[in-house]
């Protein structure tokens, strides 16, 4: 009989469990290793491996520092408390029983407790390695705070580190003190007999020294709190930083308390030698009383007796500090402010001096026309566009054009149940960029495209159209194959006219190579997909593409940046590239007002919820690009003077290129970022006031106008326009916003008070910004409350009888009316409002068509088929200028547009029925125009008392409404037919 046969069952079960445990540990370890290994592969491929290794090194180093800083003192205190115990101490019977229980585990506890606390401390320290890195690499900012006259980099980089070190060491000291007392009590060094506490000499020395060290730490903490006062919010939230009470009472009081804490610490040291606890205990009581008197009562008294009676006068110098620092921290200190005495009379020829601006007015709303782009340029259900498109500018036929652009991305959700193979290997990328003139439309209301179709054609020339990296790209794809193999990655599908489906093979360098079994196995575990190992489509030339969203990709390689929420695509040097703006931020800039970043960038089109995201300093320090084909990420130092960026460049060397490396083509598409402008407009709503007295009174506080054409509870988004601001010699690509008076519980007036714009054109010179880029221009409107704001203008539109009747006609049947963006332009000596109006039937493949334009100047409004016509009506028959949509209401603009895109490609998508739909739309428009005229004739007859003419006009109105309803139903029927036909193909 073998030895295994006689092995006890218990031992066999133990062996099985041990084996299973080892297997589980090995599997978990391999999963962890596979994740780390794939991270190394990805960062190596994208060229930013040092970002990963720096994070690993920093976190690991801080983990061990935190572990040792906690574990070693704790172990030493427990060891000394035990080692220096009295040998023949007479223990209380209860304590003796506890000692008997603990004694067998003493050695384990002596090492285990410090290790356990050390692990927690190490993990906490590792998560704050960036704080230590910023302290080690901090770069001076060249600006000092007005209170302590220290460089502001001290507050942003050094002070947070010092305070975190003091807080950490205070926690270590408290835990060590408690462990010392517990050990000493357990082994008789501390005995309690009734009301008497007896402490051995060794325990007394140890406890007193630890207590003295803790008080020294508190003295340092209180001293550092003096500096922190310049970043605290005071004066009922009006000022961020040290105000009168802080400067005259709190800061000196903290210095006194720090000195008292040092004296009490010395008393504890004295006790270690003389053995009298009375002195440190009295000193501690004195410290507590002093903290109450000096730290609470005295500042309260100063605030109530000195500040409150004359708060405006007393706080004025400190409010001035806060205003100056806030404007510097948010880079709005050089805003050009001018008074704009806006006219309200719409006179003939008023726009003659603004003809270039008028010709560039963008009537295409990027938040509305996504549906039109999809129906006319989608071609297949697995292609799509973002719900809100982007605004860019291109030079077309020698003239710079504001353009609405979108990338035709792959939406795998439209594939249905196509199978894992197709989703991974075949449907891997989108195709092409679609662009339309911002200031034009076709006669039927469709966008006028200058780049469209599959294959792409238009005004942008030849470029790489394949989009492997986009905002809606699949989670991962496996691409690439030997040159001799048959391509399997679908470029675009077959169409009419004999066009064949086109396939390609990825030849870029966008992801890690799957050239060995181990790598394939690691990615199979990462993505839980066996195809990495089993599929014959995976070969040594295959690559796996992931982390494909431009923002995510940039965030991975630049984790210190806060990224703009709106990356946008541009064709640059033959490639589609995503341009992403990156910000360096801080919440430790002295005297600067804190704002919630998430709240500041939220509006009716972007609901942001970022949680604890307060900042009081921001710079657009980095412009990043992501190549849509190769995925290459490039970071450019846009603000090389930013001390935060310079500090991070020392932490992550050689990751950011100088601005001089930016090509002229890229510079021509760089724009002033949306989110930065939103934060700055939020600040300037209050900090446009630079007089401390007026700021304190809050008599001229503003707010951003609510969005009148969307969610009126949310702020109106800023809009990009090419326009000429007062003080400029020519129109410039700009982003603007409007201000109305700050609402109160009793008043909410939509009167225009301010107009803020910033020059957003960086120019076309390689590596050099244009001189005016980033110049903030603020127009202050007269205080006589005569200039209507966006909300009031929208109300005038909605309440005008003619407009209301026409819109009600448009809403008849199954047609709905969509108000586009309400634009505000400082032209003609006043404020011109422009709002495109779209109509859309309820058919499943319907899309919004731009049919009307509303305009307003002062209290006068006009509502016509084209912007050009509306301006002429508004300004007495002759506006003096020509808009970009001249003739759009009567004839086709001849743009390459959707007709070219559909016929060239033969796409069988939703655009296939556009010709028939266009005819029906024209019929609908003609019926609506006739109805509008009949309505006007009826009103004229009613006012004149001509009942015969009234009856004739009323009959015409009913007939025209019936014709409009019939045309609308025909559109619905046509749309439904197109949907059925498209779905059957």
């Amino acid at each position: 009989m073998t030895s295994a046969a006689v092995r006890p069952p218990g031992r066999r079960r133990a062996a099985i469990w041990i084996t299973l445990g080892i297997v589980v540990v090995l599997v978990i370890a391999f999963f962890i290793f596979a994740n780390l290994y794939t991270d190394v592969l990805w960062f190596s491929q994208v060229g930013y491996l040092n970002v990963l290794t720096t994070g690993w090194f920093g976190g690991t180093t801080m983990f061990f520092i935190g572990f040792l800083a906690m574990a070693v003192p704790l172990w030493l205190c427990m060891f000394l408390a035990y080692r220096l115990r009295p040998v023949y101490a007479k223990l209380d019977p209860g304590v003796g029983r506890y000692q008997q229980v603990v004694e067998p585990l003493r050695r384990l506890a002596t090492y285990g407790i410090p290790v356990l606390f050390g692990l927690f401390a190490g993990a906490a320290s590792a998560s704050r390695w960036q704080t230590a890195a910023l302290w080690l690499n901090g770069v001076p900012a060249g600006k000092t705070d007005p209170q302590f006259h220290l460089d502001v980099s001290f507050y942003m980089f050094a002070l947070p580190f010092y305070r975190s070190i003091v807080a950490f060491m205070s926690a270590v000291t408290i835990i060590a003190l408690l462990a010392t007392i517990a050990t000493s009590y357990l082994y008789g060094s501390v005995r309690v007999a009734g009301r008497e506490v007896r402490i051995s000499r060794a325990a007394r020395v140890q406890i007193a020294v630890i207590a003295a060290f803790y008080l020294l730490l508190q003295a340092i903490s209180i001293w550092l709190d003096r500096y922190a006062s310049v970043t605290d919010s005071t004066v009922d939230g009006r000022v961020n930083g040290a105000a009168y009470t802080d400067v005259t009472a709190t800061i000196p009081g903290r210095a006194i308390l720090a000195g008292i804490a040092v004296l009490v610490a010395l008393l504890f040291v004295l006790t270690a030698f003389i053995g009298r606890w009375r002195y440190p205990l009295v000193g501690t009581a004195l410290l507590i009383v002093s903290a109450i008197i000096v730290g609470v009562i005295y500042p309260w008294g100063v605030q109530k007796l000195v500040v409150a009676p004359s708060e405006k006068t007393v706080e004025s110098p400190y409010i001035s500090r806060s205003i100056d620092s806030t404007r510097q921290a948010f880079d709005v200190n050089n805003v050009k402010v001018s008074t704009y005495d806006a006219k309200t009379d719409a006179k003939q020829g008023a726009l003659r001096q603004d003809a270039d601006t008028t010709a560039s007015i963008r009537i295409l709303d990027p938040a509305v026309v996504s549906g039109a782009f999809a129906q006319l340029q989608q071609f297949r259900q697995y292609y799509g566009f973002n719900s809100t498109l982007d605004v860019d500018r291109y030079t077309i036929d020698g003239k710079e054009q504001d353009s609405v652009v979108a990338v035709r991305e792959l939406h795998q959700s439209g594939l249905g149940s196509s199978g894992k193979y197709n989703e991974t290997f075949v449907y891997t990328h989108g195709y092409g960029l679609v662009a339309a003139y911002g200031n034009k439309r076709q006669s039927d209301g469709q966008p006028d495209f200058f780049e469209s179709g599959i294959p792409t054609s238009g005004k942008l020339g030849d470029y790489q159209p394949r989009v492997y990296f986009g905002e809606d790209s699949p989670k991962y794809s496996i691409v690439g194959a030997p040159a001799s193999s048959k391509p399997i990655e679908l470029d675009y599908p077959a169409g009419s006219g004999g066009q064949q489906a086109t396939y390609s093979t990825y030849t870029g360098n966008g992801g890690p190579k799957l050239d060995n079994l181990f790598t394939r196995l690691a990615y199979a575990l990462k993505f839980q997909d066996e195809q990495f190992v089993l599929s014959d489509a995976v070969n040594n030339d295959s690559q796996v593409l992931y982390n494909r969203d431009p923002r995510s990709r940039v965030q991975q390689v630049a984790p210190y940046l806060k990224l703009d929420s709106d990356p946008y695509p541009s064709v640059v040097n033959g490639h589609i590239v995503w341009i992403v703006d990156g910000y360096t931020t801080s919440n430790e800039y002295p005297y600067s007002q804190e704002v919630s970043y998430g709240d500041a960038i939220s509006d009716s089109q972007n609901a942001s919820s970022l949680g604890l995201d307060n900042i009081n300093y921001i710079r657009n320090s980095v412009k990043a690009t992501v190549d849509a084909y190769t995925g290459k990420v490039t970071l450019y130092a846009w603000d090389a003077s930013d001390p935060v960026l310079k500090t991070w460049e020392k932490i992550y060397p050689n990751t950011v290129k100088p601005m001089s490396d930016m090509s002229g083509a890229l510079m021509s598409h760089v724009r002033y970022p949306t989110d930065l402008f939103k934060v700055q407009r939020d600040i300037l709503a209050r900090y446009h006031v630079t007089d401390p007295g007026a700021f304190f009174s809050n008599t001229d506080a503003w707010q951003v106008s609510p969005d009148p054409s969307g969610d009126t509870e949310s702020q109106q988004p800023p809009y990009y326009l090419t326009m000429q601001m007062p003080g400029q010699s020519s129109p410039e690509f700009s982003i603007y916003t409007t201000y109305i008076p700050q609402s109160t519980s009793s008043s909410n007036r939509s009167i225009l008070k301010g107009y803020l714009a910033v020059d957003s054109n960086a120019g076309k010179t390689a590596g050099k910004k244009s001189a005016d880029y980033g110049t903030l221009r603020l127009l202050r409107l007269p205080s006589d409350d005569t200039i209507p704001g966006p909300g009031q203008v929208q109300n005038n539109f909605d309440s005008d009888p003619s407009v209301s009747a026409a819109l009600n006609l448009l809403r008849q049947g199954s047609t709905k009316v969509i108000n586009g963006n309400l634009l505000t332009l400082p032209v003609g000596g006043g404020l011109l409002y422009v709002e495109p109006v779209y109509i859309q039937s309820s058919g499943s493949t319907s899309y919004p068509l731009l049919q009307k334009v509303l305009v307003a100047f002062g209290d006068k409004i006009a509502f016509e088929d084209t912007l050009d016509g509306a301006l002429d009506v508004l300004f007495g028959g002759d506006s003096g200028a020509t808009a970009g949509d001249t003739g759009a209401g009567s004839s086709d603009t001849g743009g390459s547009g959707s007709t070219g895109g559909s016929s060239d490609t033969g796409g069988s998508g939703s655009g296939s029925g556009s010709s028939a739909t266009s005819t029906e739309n024209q019929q609908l428009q003609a019926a609506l125009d006739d109805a509008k005229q009949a309505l006007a004739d009826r009103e004229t007859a009613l006012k004149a008392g001509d009942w015969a003419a009234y009856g004739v006009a009323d009959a015409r109105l009913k007939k025209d409404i019936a014709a409009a309803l019939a045309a609308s139903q025909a559109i619905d029927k046509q749309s439904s037919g197109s949907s059925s036909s498209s779905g059957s193909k």
Side-chain angles (χ1 to χ4, degrees):
M1 185 176 292
T2 64
S3 59
V6 297
R7 183 176 297 168
R11 295 182 61 186
R12 288 200 300 270
R13 285 195 297 269
I16 293 173
W17 282 111
I18 291 173
T19 303
L20 288 175
I22 293 174
V23 170
V24 169
V25 170
L26 290 175
V27 169
I28 294 174
F30 187 76
F31 269 96
I32 295 174
F33 175 77
N35 190 59
L36 298 178
Y37 175 66
T38 54
D39 283 347
V40 170
L41 292 178
W42 188 87
F43 277 93
S44 296
Q45 186 279 326
V46 80
Y48 290 87
L49 181 60
N50 65 327
V51 173
L52 180 66
T53 55
T54 298
W56 283 359
F57 177 78
T60 302
T61 301
M62 288 301 295
F63 174 85
F64 282 109
I65 290 176
F67 175 86
L68 294 174
M70 173 65 78
V72 171
L74 184 55
W75 172 83
L76 183 62
C77 288
M78 294 176 66
F79 173 78
L80 290 175
Y82 173 77
R83 187 68 178 268
L84 300 176
R85 72 194 186 283
V87 179
Y88 300 109
K90 184 178 180 181
L91 300 177
D92 179 87
V95 176
R97 287 195 296 271
Y98 284 122
Q99 187 187 105
Q100 292 175 0
V101 173
V102 171
E103 183 60 29
L105 302 173
R106 179 185 56 78
R107 186 177 296 274
L108 177 63
T110 301
Y111 291 96
I113 292 176
V115 167
L116 181 62
F117 277 93
L119 291 174
F120 285 112
S125 300
S127 66
R128 294 183 59 82
W129 72 268
Q130 296 96 334
T131 302
L134 288 171
W135 167 68
L136 286 171
N137 297 279
V139 173
K143 293 182 176 64
T144 59
D145 76 281
Q147 176 61 35
F148 297 103
H149 308 292
L150 298 173
D151 192 278
V152 297
S153 63
F154 168 79
Y155 300 94
M156 293 194 291
F157 306 139
L159 185 60
F161 175 74
Y162 295 152
R163 297 184 78 187
S164 65
I165 288 295
V166 171
F168 179 85
M169 294 309 300
S170 295
V172 171
T173 305
I174 285 291
I175 294 172
L177 179 61
L178 294 176
T180 297
I181 293 173
T183 305
S184 298
Y185 178 71
L186 193 61
Y187 287 95
S189 297
V190 176
R191 288 177 291 167
V192 179
R195 299 176 61 182
E196 182 181 6
V197 179
R198 296 182 179 181
I199 305 175
S200 68
R201 183 176 182 277
R204 183 188 72 228
V205 171
Q206 185 173 343
I207 293 173
V209 169
I210 294 174
F213 184 70
Y214 178 76
L215 283 167
L216 284 175
L217 289 173
Q218 298 318 297
I220 297 173
S221 178
I222 295 170
W223 186 262
L224 292 177
D225 286 344
R226 297 166 61 251
Y227 302 109
S229 64
V230 300
T231 61
D232 294 337
S233 180
T234 55
V235 194
D236 299 327
R238 293 189 183 95
V239 177
N240 214 61
Y244 180 87
T245 299
D246 299 294
V247 172
T248 59
T250 303
I251 291 175
R254 287 173 178 172
I256 294 171
L257 289 176
I260 295 175
V262 171
L263 291 176
V264 176
L266 294 176
L267 291 177
F268 272 100
V269 173
L270 180 64
T271 295
F273 292 99
I274 66 174
R276 294 184 177 274
W277 290 97
R278 182 180 304 170
Y279 301 128
L281 292 178
V282 171
T284 301
L286 174 64
L287 177 61
I288 295 172
V289 172
S290 299
I292 296 173
I293 295 175
V294 178
V296 178
I297 296 178
Y298 180 59
W300 177 85
V302 171
Q303 182 69 30
K304 291 297 181 182
L305 301 178
V306 178
V307 175
S310 308
E311 188 172 6
K312 183 176 181 179
T313 303
V314 170
E315 298 290 8
S316 183
Y318 306 101
I319 293 176
S320 182
R321 289 181 178 183
S322 182
I323 292 172
D324 293 341
S325 295
T326 300
R327 289 168 63 93
Q328 288 177 4
F330 288 93
D331 201 21
V332 296
N333 53 316
N334 292 320
V335 60
K336 294 186 176 181
V337 182
S338 59
T339 300
Y340 188 58
D341 189 13
K343 303 175 183 176
T344 57
D345 297 331
K347 298 180 179 180
Q348 279 192 338
L351 301 183
R352 188 164 287 112
Q353 300 299 319
D354 298 289
D356 291 338
T357 297
T358 305
S360 301
I361 295 176
R362 179 179 52 76
I363 56 174
L364 209 61
D365 185 352
V368 173
V369 298
S370 178
F373 271 55
Q375 290 298 319
L376 299 170
Q377 292 294 322
Q378 180 175 330
F379 300 118
R380 283 293 189 272
Q381 70 275 14
Y382 44 80
Y383 290 135
F385 303 94
N386 280 345
S387 58
T388 299
L389 308 186
D390 294 295
V391 176
D392 200 356
R393 68 266 190 217
Y394 288 91
T395 301
I396 307 297
D397 299 328
K399 183 179 180 181
E400 192 166 272
Q401 290 279 165
D402 287 5
S403 313
V404 176
V405 300
V407 167
R408 186 185 291 107
E409 294 204 53
L410 176 68
H411 290 181
Q412 286 191 345
S413 58
L415 290 172
S417 55
S418 62
K420 194 71 175 177
Y421 179 90
N422 283 333
E423 293 176 356
T424 306
F425 299 100
V426 179
Y427 296 96
T428 58
H429 59 280
Y431 195 90
L433 180 136
V434 178
Y437 294 99
N439 62 339
K440 299 180 181 180
R441 66 176 175 91
Q442 297 201 36
S443 59
D444 59 357
Q446 295 181 11
D448 188 3
F449 298 104
F450 63 82
E451 185 72 22
S452 60
I454 295 182
T456 56
S457 62
K459 302 288 189 178
L460 300 186
D462 295 330
Y463 61 92
Q464 172 58 260
R466 297 171 183 86
V467 180
Y468 283 87
F469 295 87
E471 294 179 288
D472 293 311
S473 294
K475 182 179 180 181
Y476 66 93
S477 296
I478 300 176
V479 299
S484 59
S485 63
K486 182 180 179 180
I488 62 172
E489 299 168 35
L490 180 68
D491 270 349
Y492 49 84
S496 61
Q499 177 181 297
Q500 300 296 315
T502 301
Y503 296 84
S504 66
T505 298
Y506 184 73
T507 57
N509 182 26
K513 287 287 187 70
L514 301 175
D515 53 3
N516 61 77
L517 180 61
F518 184 80
T519 300
R520 296 173 192 174
L521 181 60
Y523 277 106
L525 292 174
K526 181 179 182 68
F527 293 112
Q528 301 293 294
D529 187 352
E530 71 282 355
Q531 291 184 103
F532 283 91
V533 178
L534 302 180
S535 177
D536 60 0
V538 180
N539 55 75
N540 289 339
D541 292 311
S542 294
Q543 303 174 44
V544 56
L545 308 183
Y546 61 103
N547 287 342
R548 301 167 73 174
D549 175 70
R551 291 185 78 250
S552 172
R553 208 163 173 83
V554 174
Q555 194 71 82
Q556 291 282 341
V557 303
Y560 54 90
L561 292 178
K562 193 182 291 291
L563 299 181
D564 194 272
S565 59
D566 185 26
Y568 58 99
S570 295
V571 175
V572 177
N573 297 324
H575 284 257
I576 299 175
V577 298
W578 295 92
I579 301 176
V580 186
D581 286 283
Y583 310 119
T584 47
T585 62
S586 175
N587 61 355
E588 300 291 346
Y589 196 95
Y591 275 104
S592 177
Q593 180 66 46
E594 280 191 355
V595 298
S596 167
Y597 179 80
D599 290 345
I601 68 172
S602 293
D603 55 38
S604 61
Q605 295 178 8
N606 177 37
S608 178
S609 178
L610 301 179
L612 301 175
D613 60 349
N614 286 353
I615 62 171
N616 68 357
Y617 172 91
I618 187 171
R619 288 292 184 276
N620 177 208
S621 52
V622 171
K623 299 284 187 183
T625 62
V626 178
D627 192 295
Y629 184 72
T630 66
K632 181 181 179 182
V633 181
T634 309
L635 307 176
Y636 298 100
W638 190 248
D639 186 354
S641 64
D642 174 33
V644 181
L645 177 62
K646 290 195 285 188
T647 299
W648 283 112
E649 285 186 284
K650 290 178 65 178
I651 298 171
Y652 297 116
N654 304 317
T655 57
V656 182
K657 293 184 177 182
M659 185 175 61
S660 58
D661 286 0
M662 298 179 71
S663 68
L666 176 58
M667 294 292 290
S668 69
H669 292 283
V670 166
R671 70 188 190 189
Y672 201 82
T674 307
D675 287 353
L676 174 62
F677 183 70
K678 290 179 183 178
V679 172
Q680 290 176 324
R681 72 175 182 177
D682 186 74
I683 287 296
L684 283 172
R686 289 185 63 202
Y687 286 87
H688 67 277
V689 178
T690 55
D691 177 74
F695 185 92
F696 180 87
S697 300
N698 205 35
T699 55
D700 195 23
W702 299 341
Q703 69 180 41
V704 177
S705 304
D707 190 357
S709 57
D711 179 5
T712 55
E713 298 298 321
S714 301
Q715 296 183 131
Q716 186 179 35
Y719 296 121
Y720 288 100
L721 290 174
T722 294
M723 60 181 175
Q724 183 174 338
M725 288 280 288
Q728 289 182 304
S729 58
S730 61
E732 290 290 346
F733 186 68
S734 308
I735 185 173
Y736 84 89
T737 193
T738 56
Y739 292 111
I740 62 174
Q742 188 178 67
S743 63
T744 64
S745 57
S746 59
S747 174
N748 187 8
R749 299 175 300 155
S750 183
I751 302 298
L752 203 65
K753 300 300 291 183
Y755 187 96
L756 177 68
V758 59
D759 296 353
S760 302
N761 185 9
K764 299 180 180 180
T765 305
K768 184 179 179 181
K769 303 178 192 176
S770 67
D772 289 335
Y773 174 87
T775 301
L776 289 157
R777 305 175 190 273
L778 178 63
L779 304 182
R780 298 180 64 103
L781 278 299
S783 58
D784 53 3
D785 291 351
T786 60
I787 310 301
Q792 186 173 333
V793 169
Q794 186 66 54
N795 182 67
N796 292 342
F797 286 157
D798 295 338
S799 60
D800 182 86
S802 298
V803 173
S804 178
L807 291 178
N808 287 333
L809 287 175
L810 291 172
R811 294 187 181 100
Q812 293 291 333
S814 56
T815 302
K816 65 178 179 179
V817 175
I818 302 173
N819 292 328
N821 43 210
L822 179 58
L823 305 177
T824 310
L825 296 97
V827 294
L831 275 303
L832 172 67
Y833 287 91
V834 177
E835 181 176 86
V837 178
Y838 297 80
I839 66 168
Q840 181 174 355
S841 64
S842 60
S844 60
T845 59
S846 64
Y847 53 90
L849 295 170
L850 177 54
Q851 295 293 341
K852 294 284 186 179
V853 180
L854 280 161
V855 294
F857 194 93
D859 292 327
K860 188 175 181 181
I861 66 174
F863 185 41
E864 299 297 328
D865 295 344
T866 64
L867 173 60
D868 191 61
L871 292 177
D872 281 340
V873 171
L874 185 68
F875 290 95
D878 180 16
S879 67
T882 303
D885 66 342
T886 305
S890 58
S891 63
D892 200 326
T893 61
S896 59
S898 60
T899 54
S902 297
S903 61
D904 289 346
T905 65
S908 59
S910 56
S912 59
S914 61
S915 297
T917 305
S918 175
T919 301
E920 303 298 342
N921 284 330
Q922 292 174 2
Q923 294 175 355
L924 173 62
Q925 185 61 51
L928 292 172
D929 290 340
D930 291 342
K932 179 182 177 182
Q933 184 60 49
L935 180 65
D937 293 343
R938 191 178 71 166
E939 291 179 352
T940 301
L942 178 63
K943 292 178 181 179
D946 188 345
W947 298 109
Y950 179 88
V952 172
D954 187 62
R956 284 170 46 210
L957 179 60
K958 293 178 181 179
K959 180 181 176 181
D960 293 335
I961 291 175
L965 288 173
S968 177
Q969 292 168 358
I971 291 175
D972 290 344
K973 184 176 180 181
Q974 179 70 31
S975 299
S976 300
S978 298
S979 178
S980 301
S981 175
S982 176
S984 64
K985 292 181 180 180

